[in-house]
Amino acid sequence: MSVIRSGRPMDWRQVCAVANGENLELSADARARIGAARKLIEQIVARGIRAYGVNTGVGALCDVVVSREKQHDLSHNILMSHAVGVGAPLGAVETRAIMAAAINNFAHGRSGVRVELVERLVALLEAGCVPDVPAFGSVGYLSHMAHIALVCVGAGQVTWRGEHMSGAQALRRLGLEPLALEAKEGLSLVNGTPCVTGLAALALQRAERLFDWADVVAAMSFENLGGQVAAFDAESLAFRISPGLVHVGERMRGALTGSGLLASALGRRTQDALSMRTIPHVHGAARDVLATAAEVVNRELASTTDNPIVAGTPEVPQVFSQAHAVGASIALAMDSLAAAVAQVAAMAERRLDRLVNPLVSRLPAFLAQAGGTRSGFMIAQYTAASLVAQNRREAAPASLDGGVTSGLQEDHLCHATPAALKALAVIENSNRIFGIELLAAVQAYDLQPNDGERAPYTQALYQQVRGVLPTYRDDRPLADDMTRAFHMISDDGPPPLPGPLRTQVPSGTYVADSVVPVGAGTPASANDMLPTAVGT
């Protein structure tokens, strides 16, 4: 199965599909658009029309005219001088996402690169040949794509079929010759926002999965702590206008339908702690941020982010040399998403603390099987608190970092790619936090003094975890269990909720979705949680 870049731009889910291994193909009309734009560049070169990065230097050297004979050198040298990334390389999925976004950008037909160059990137994707792309060193968008593009000219390093080799060696094995770059191609290869857009698409995918887990793990903690299910009453939640809140409330009701534990807790308290009763509000707000961020990423994929942009006809070529390569909107979106995820995870740690604290949980201290000689989840909560603090640091807005580069020519920086990298880091930390909460919630079920039955959904999830991890008795390193739970959350979504429920679409709308029923129908109010009287 392949993703086809046709007359329509790719969306973020298609970018993720390619990142995760699907092939990417160029349609005939996409090739035609790319070829037409190249003809415009050829006319600009032939007529000596002044165009940034085509026949001038770049950055602060934009007023230095480059002769036609030197334009190949300019393109080639841009790759060499801009490949300045540092640190460990990105993963294969992240690099493929960037490459997919770059191909999508060129397929708009406004950059002026040759079809052969775009096809070279497609060929690397199809072969599973992944360039080494150092993760850090970019204030915007330059270094990541430069390291990818090095392979096209027979430089750089790649990993292919588990073997690390030079770009030149990889091309030989693939039966390909290094490309000699022509006018503007070097600049277009490093320009625009493909790096942040590709990474942002992955951030959306991973955040969406995390939020699905967040709802159901929170439901397990809520059930263990005997929460007041009125917090998820549809009539009550309708007073606040938020698609995300309504969606989360519906999911919580679906997850907790038929809970004997909650039925026996009705009326125990007037209201619960905020980490329990604001689950729809906080998780819902985060889903609203996710929907907005998805719209921004899709708009970015539908936009030409290059400088300069070419348009017009071969008879009257036009050059637009402005700032479409700057990713202010997507930087702000990634900063917002990181903060939203961090807040959801911070509240998870508060519920975890309640689970291990016997003063509020009515459970054995720290969920230990025997007090005194066993510490249970005491120190696991420390780990979660540490990750929450790290998230707080990572969630500081990258888009406000600023800075001055290129001899005052580029004196406002949005740090879009670092914003996406930080969002990915926050999501990974949060997966670990929810993994710990999941383990604690399952352990709490084992120690639950209330003999009421669990909801069918939470019972199914409990059994899924216990199918691979036995009750914790301080009999093995807890870190190993935490790693298993982390992969359970990061690698796949949770079991489907009782349905039909509504599934959020990142555009901010909602559609009906049929899911596998796990329990009874969704209750309309807290009263529906009460046991049905029999024989009266």
Side-chain angles (χ1 to χ4, degrees), residues 313-332:
T313 64
E315 294 73 29
V316 187
Q318 293 178 285
V319 180
F320 298 92
S321 180
Q322 300 305 326
H324 288 317
V326 175
S329 60
I330 201 167
L332 292 168

Side-chain angles (χ1 to χ4, degrees), residues 77-78 118 137-138 145 158 164 176 213 220 225 244 299 315 318 327 349 392 416 444 455 471 479 510 526:
N77 294 346
I78 283 175
V118 185
S138 175
M145 275 302 302
V158 305
H164 194 248
L176 300 171
W213 274 107
M220 298 176 82
L225 294 166
R299 287 201 302 266
E315 294 73 29
Q318 293 178 285
E349 186 276 330
R392 189 177 300 114
T471 301
Y510 293 79

Side-chain angles (χ1 to χ4, degrees), residues 13 243 247 250 500-515:
R13 292 189 188 278
H247 182 61
E250 196 168 281
L501 292 175
R502 291 185 300 175
T503 299
Q504 186 174 12
V505 175
S507 64
T509 61
Y510 293 79
V511 296
D513 183 29
S514 296
V515 293

Side-chain angles (χ1 to χ4, degrees), residues 68-107:
R68 187 169 182 176
E69 295 74 23
K70 296 292 186 181
Q71 288 167 15
H72 161 77
D73 293 344
L74 171 63
S75 278
H76 184 83
N77 294 346
I78 283 175
L79 294 193
M80 301 302 155
S81 64
H82 286 52
V84 293
V86 297
L90 295 173
V93 172
E94 287 76 13
T95 300
R96 287 178 62 91
I98 294 172
M99 295 169 71
I103 293 165
N104 174 77
N105 195 36
F106 294 141

